[in-house]
Amino acid sequence: MTADTVDLMVRQMRVESTGVVSLRLEHPRGDAVDRWTPGAHLDLHLGGGLVRQYSLCGDPDDKTGYRVAVLRESAGRGGSRRVHETLRPGDTVTVSAPRNNFELAASPSYVFIAGGIGITPILAMIAEAERAGASWELHYGGRTRDTMAFLDELGRYGDRVHVVTEDAEGILDLPAVLATSRPDTLVYACGPEGLLAAVESHSPAWPAGAIHLERFKAKERPAEAGGDSSFRVTCEQSGVSATVSADRTILETLEEAGVDVPNSCREGICGTCETRVLCGTPDHRDSLLSASEQESGTTVMICVSRARSDELVLDL
């Protein structure tokens, strides 16, 4: 355990739908947990080097514990199987402090869009919109009703929640929802890549910054023409300088050079390894920074991104 992690007890596990289980995590001594805001996630350290990110889906005002929900993915990298097959009430799990890369901005009105397990960060956002007196609507899609978590909780909101199942009704009608922008309205969407790509296709109809996405998996990128090339990376603080070969990442190269950089997903989706750029031009390959943030070139996710210049100087 490090300074920014804490060991919590699995107080409760509950089946929320077919394939989805929620965890209630509390301090064994009853201490208060760190404050968090809607859209935040936790890193769960699941042993054997497995660290996975899960959105907080409880009440941010509840200081007695956290709630996360985990979809079992048989074709995943092992984190969800570890949760479903190994963790039990009474077990201890190491978690990070909450981090938020999907912050809910204040707005008079919201459109929330969720696909499958993407409902998890949206739950707390809806509760916050309610507290703020904002108008909102949710469009929630899934394969079948039995695979869609938290439908009972959402039932209290009545006809503001639009549930669409593929087996009965097909897919969410995003053109009807997003084809025309709405004044003073923000869109927050989370779910599988196909859903998010469809949401992105409507972004030109909306003002810049109105549509916000969170990905659970890295966005697919076309292969670079001619492949990758090597470049130098220099760490200003430590003085370490190394060549990043075409088949290695900046993070891997710095780890091999003895530079300890906090990291988690190694896919460019969690933000743990975000590093300030002092000189040089990054080749951004993350799925987290906005287009304007990438264009500024002030930070880089060193687990996946590379350099367009011959050298990157980093604040490490």
Side-chain angles (χ1 to χ4, degrees), residues 25 54 60 85 96 104 108 137 164 214 260 274 302 312:
L25 304 171
Y54 298 107
E85 297 175 5
S96 67
L104 182 70
E137 61 190 62
V164 176
E214 181 172 61
D260 184 19
E274 184 172 7
I302 63 172
L312 277 185

Side-chain angles (χ1 to χ4, degrees), residues 74-107:
S74 56
R77 296 174 297 150
S80 68
R81 292 196 302 274
R82 187 74 60 88
V83 170
H84 280 255
E85 297 175 5
T86 304
L87 282 186
R88 293 294 180 266
D91 289 346
T92 298
V93 60
T94 299
V95 307
S96 67
R99 293 201 309 277
N100 201 335
N101 302 314
F102 194 42
E103 192 82 43
L104 182 70
S107 178

Side-chain angles (χ1 to χ4, degrees), residues 74-216:
S74 56
R77 296 174 297 150
S80 68
R81 292 196 302 274
R82 187 74 60 88
V83 170
H84 280 255
E85 297 175 5
T86 304
L87 282 186
R88 293 294 180 266
D91 289 346
T92 298
V93 60
T94 299
V95 307
S96 67
R99 293 201 309 277
N100 201 335
N101 302 314
F102 194 42
E103 192 82 43
L104 182 70
S107 178
S109 178
Y110 299 97
V111 173
F112 298 117
I113 300 170
I117 196 62
I119 191 61
T120 49
I122 302 298
L123 285 176
M125 292 185 173
I126 288 173
E128 180 60 27
E130 281 283 282
R131 280 192 286 265
S135 65
W136 62 270
E137 61 190 62
L138 167 66
H139 300 270
Y140 181 17
R143 295 190 307 277
T144 59
R145 285 190 71 90
D146 68 286
T147 64
M148 299 174 72
F150 304 111
L151 287 178
D152 288 345
E153 287 187 26
L154 292 167
R156 74 177 76 130
Y157 298 120
D159 60 7
R160 286 179 291 176
V161 175
H162 307 274
V163 176
V164 176
T165 60
E166 290 184 27
D167 65 334
E169 299 142 300
I171 62 174
L172 291 172
D173 188 359
L174 293 180
V177 176
L178 297 174
T180 303
S181 66
R182 310 182 196 180
D184 300 319
T185 300
L186 298 180
V187 177
Y188 284 81
C190 185
E193 182 56 35
L195 173 71
L196 299 185
V199 172
E200 280 187 312
S201 71
H202 296 285
S203 60
W206 289 74
I211 293 182
H212 304 262
L213 310 178
E214 181 172 61
R215 288 179 161 86
F216 289 141

